[in-house]
Amino acid sequence: MDTAVAVVAALLSAAAFGFASVLQQKAAQQAPAQEALRLRLLLGLARRPAWLAGMALVVLSYALLGIALAFGPLVLVQPLAATDLVFALPLLARRRGMPLTRRDVAGIACTAGGIAMFLAVLPPAETSPVPTAGEWLPVLLGIGGAAAVLAAVGRRSRAAARTALYAIAAALMFALLDSLTKSAGGRFRGEGLDGFGHWEPYAVVLVGVIGLVLSQSSYQAGSLAISLPIIDCLEPVGAVLIGVALFGEQLATSPGALAVQAVGAATAVAGIVVLDRSPLARA
């Protein structure tokens, strides 16, 4: 039952986030360049109805992701959550009266098929303990430091490189956010409202705001065809690695199953890149 809840919630989260990214990028590109990496960017975007609509979908997506992570491991939930445009593109095509191209259909097939291969050989999920603050510290310092360096270098880079560097930093923060959400969810599921007595819920808010500023700065700096593939590919990979390293989650154990997962992951990444570059995602 827990796995079924996690799968359904993760897929619904992916659908909501796919629409949100398209809405927010269109609004963010119109913001002044000097507002990048500042909270002022969010305040300005909050005056735009399209961005607010996208933000509502982000909140919905995040709530659904939190439910999924409360019932399932990162190695199960995050690959499913990366399928955002598998759901968004067909609906966008119908809404805009634009047909799906063969490239779009191939991207959907590769993404869905690759993730199915990855999950097919995943060991049964086991309940993992909530990591201690000491176990979290190296992860927080490593990801926070990397994101800070990427953002600093991005400010001095040209448009395309700036977009990519901001997107990488955002993906790292979102992977951290996903992992902190699982940790906070574990606290609340085990302790109820006493979970507010731990540090994780407050770290979720802080990391979420930083990730949002970085992602919106990436959307503002350049094309969604650059930023979205990076975020969509690196966020689940980073979250899965944190799940394995910090929560003790398991990938496949045999060499053959690991090979299947590697092929599946590569196929899914290729499909995500194809979908994120679709004209439908940028129209």
Side-chain angles (χ1 to χ4, degrees):
M1 179 63 181
D2 285 2
T3 299
V5 172
V7 168
V8 172
L11 291 174
L12 290 174
S13 173
F17 188 77
F19 280 109
S21 297
V22 175
L23 287 172
Q24 289 187 322
Q25 191 269 346
K26 290 181 68 175
Q29 268 200 327
Q30 300 170 7
Q34 64 269 23
E35 293 183 358
L37 300 183
R38 298 180 181 178
L39 285 175
R40 187 188 306 169
L41 174 63
L42 299 184
L43 296 175
L45 290 172
R47 301 188 184 98
R48 301 174 185 269
W51 189 86
L52 286 175
M55 194 66 236
L57 285 172
V58 168
V59 172
L60 174 61
S61 173
Y62 184 70
L64 290 165
L65 183 63
I67 293 171
L69 289 170
F71 286 89
L74 285 159
V75 293
L76 169 68
V77 171
Q78 283 310 124
L80 291 171
T83 61
D84 44 5
L85 286 180
V86 169
F87 298 95
L89 278 186
L91 293 174
L92 285 171
R94 182 172 181 178
R95 179 182 176 186
R96 294 169 180 166
M98 298 172 63
L100 288 173
T101 65
R102 291 181 181 177
R103 185 181 177 90
D104 294 333
V105 174
I108 290 172
C110 286
T111 303
I115 289 173
M117 288 176 62
F118 182 90
L119 297 179
V121 293
L122 198 66
E126 297 180 359
T127 302
S128 55
V130 177
T132 65
E135 291 171 330
W136 266 112
L137 187 59
V139 176
L140 295 171
L141 292 177
I143 292 180
V149 170
L150 289 165
V153 174
R155 287 187 68 91
R156 298 190 294 270
S157 303
R158 294 183 177 181
R162 183 164 62 250
T163 301
L165 290 169
Y166 288 170
I168 294 171
L172 291 176
M173 296 307 294
F174 285 148
L176 179 60
L177 178 64
D178 298 334
S179 308
L180 285 168
T181 299
K182 179 168 181 59
S183 191
R187 297 287 190 192
F188 286 122
R189 197 174 182 193
E191 304 176 30
L193 293 179
D194 289 341
F196 283 112
H198 296 277
W199 63 275
E200 287 96 337
Y202 310 101
V204 164
V205 175
L206 176 61
V207 172
V209 171
I210 295 172
L212 184 61
V213 171
L214 286 166
S215 65
Q216 298 308 310
S217 297
S218 177
Y219 296 161
Q220 179 243 24
S223 172
L224 200 68
I226 298 174
S227 57
L228 202 55
I230 291 173
I231 294 173
D232 278 350
C233 293
L234 291 187
E235 179 186 353
V237 170
V240 166
L241 291 176
I242 294 174
V244 172
L246 198 58
F247 290 85
E249 297 177 359
Q250 290 187 340
L251 297 175
T253 53
S254 69
L258 280 172
V260 170
Q261 284 194 323
V263 172
T267 303
V269 166
I272 288 170
V273 172
V274 169
L275 293 179
D276 284 339
R277 292 179 176 273
S278 169
L280 285 168
R282 293 176 281 134

